[in-house]
Amino acid sequence: MAQLHARSTSIQGDPRSVDEATTYVRDHAMPALERVDGCLGLSMLVDPGTGRCIVTTSWRDEAAMRSSEEHVRASAERTAEILGGRPELEEWEVAAMHRVHEAHHGSWSRVTWLRTEPASVDRAVDAVRLSLMPKLDDLPGFCSVSVLVRRADGLSVAAVSYDSREQLEQASEGAREFREEFAPTMGIRTAGTGEFGVAIAHLRVPETS
């Protein structure tokens, strides 16, 4: 199977426009993008308090992602216009995906950006896969975890989703231990973290671990 890829669009916008942007992405951008050859699906994470939104599209392979650039850019610019922000597009390799069940509207996700030396990206992926993933299955409300990487930049991003915000908060201590205690022993630095509501959950990336 070809290596799956993803493109994320991050926008820091007006919290008052999050609902309108979500409606646009769900009703207009997503149906249009899913007609593009090689598109597997789309997800949208939103922070209703700050207006920060992350729209991610998944692709069959790198070639499909590259050929979709103009389609994605147009929808990203319209979404950013609604939010009153500027889109930041990033391209990723899908390194791991594990799910108990699909996330859904109303789920919450904790996103953690991890940085290592470029040659050590696989170490960061293995840290999530071997240390974090086995513990997640037993947590109340756990839905799924995905890991995306940009090897040249030494950057990884892990998104862990739960059925509700309450269950996400209940798992916060384990997440802190991973970031602050386990990851540094592997030479992994936390570059950022955020908590987001799952506004759209149709990324459709198959299980990889």
Side-chain angles (χ1 to χ4, degrees):
M1 183 178 178
Q3 178 64 55
L4 301 180
H5 282 69
R7 181 184 284 109
S8 64
T9 302
S10 300
I11 305 166
Q12 180 63 60
D14 186 339
R16 295 169 297 182
S17 299
V18 166
D19 287 345
E20 182 183 353
T22 300
T23 299
Y24 166 75
V25 172
R26 183 188 65 234
D27 295 347
H28 299 281
M30 184 169 67
L33 288 170
E34 289 184 330
R35 290 193 292 269
V36 177
D37 182 52
C39 182
L40 301 180
L42 176 149
S43 70
M44 183 174 184
L45 303 179
V46 304
D47 183 340
T50 67
R52 186 181 184 188
C53 298
I54 304 175
V55 180
T56 303
T57 50
S58 56
W59 299 91
R60 178 182 59 217
D61 52 33
E62 185 175 8
M65 180 180 69
R66 297 275 183 226
S67 66
S68 71
E69 184 173 355
E70 289 306 312
H71 295 280
V72 171
R73 188 171 299 279
S75 63
E77 290 175 352
R78 176 56 184 147
T79 306
E81 181 183 359
I82 293 170
L83 285 166
R86 180 176 299 175
E88 178 184 349
L89 276 68
E90 297 178 293
E91 296 179 346
W92 306 85
E93 175 187 326
V94 180
M97 165 61 78
H98 171 60
R99 64 170 61 85
V100 172
H101 58 266
E102 297 284 353
H104 50 84
H105 181 73
S107 297
W108 275 74
S109 182
R110 178 177 291 107
V111 181
T112 304
W113 289 264
L114 304 169
R115 191 172 291 282
T116 66
E117 295 300 322
S120 300
V121 165
D122 286 337
R123 181 186 302 173
V125 175
D126 286 342
V128 176
R129 192 194 306 270
L130 300 175
S131 175
L132 187 61
M133 285 186 180
K135 299 176 182 178
L136 292 172
D137 281 350
D138 296 328
L139 295 179
F142 169 67
C143 299
S144 63
V145 53
S146 62
V147 185
L148 310 179
V149 301
R150 288 216 314 269
R151 296 180 185 279
D153 299 328
L155 189 62
S156 306
V157 57
V160 184
S161 297
Y162 298 86
D163 282 325
S164 69
R165 187 169 194 173
E166 180 183 13
Q167 288 163 329
L168 177 142
E169 291 171 350
Q170 289 171 353
S172 61
E173 179 59 22
R176 185 201 63 77
E177 288 178 357
F178 176 82
R179 292 193 310 268
E180 299 178 10
E181 298 177 18
F182 178 78
T185 69
M186 302 285 287
I188 302 167
R189 305 185 304 279
T190 299
T193 186
E195 297 179 355
F196 299 87
V198 178
I200 302 172
H202 295 284
L203 200 57
R204 300 194 183 99
V205 173
E207 182 95 6
T208 61
S209 62

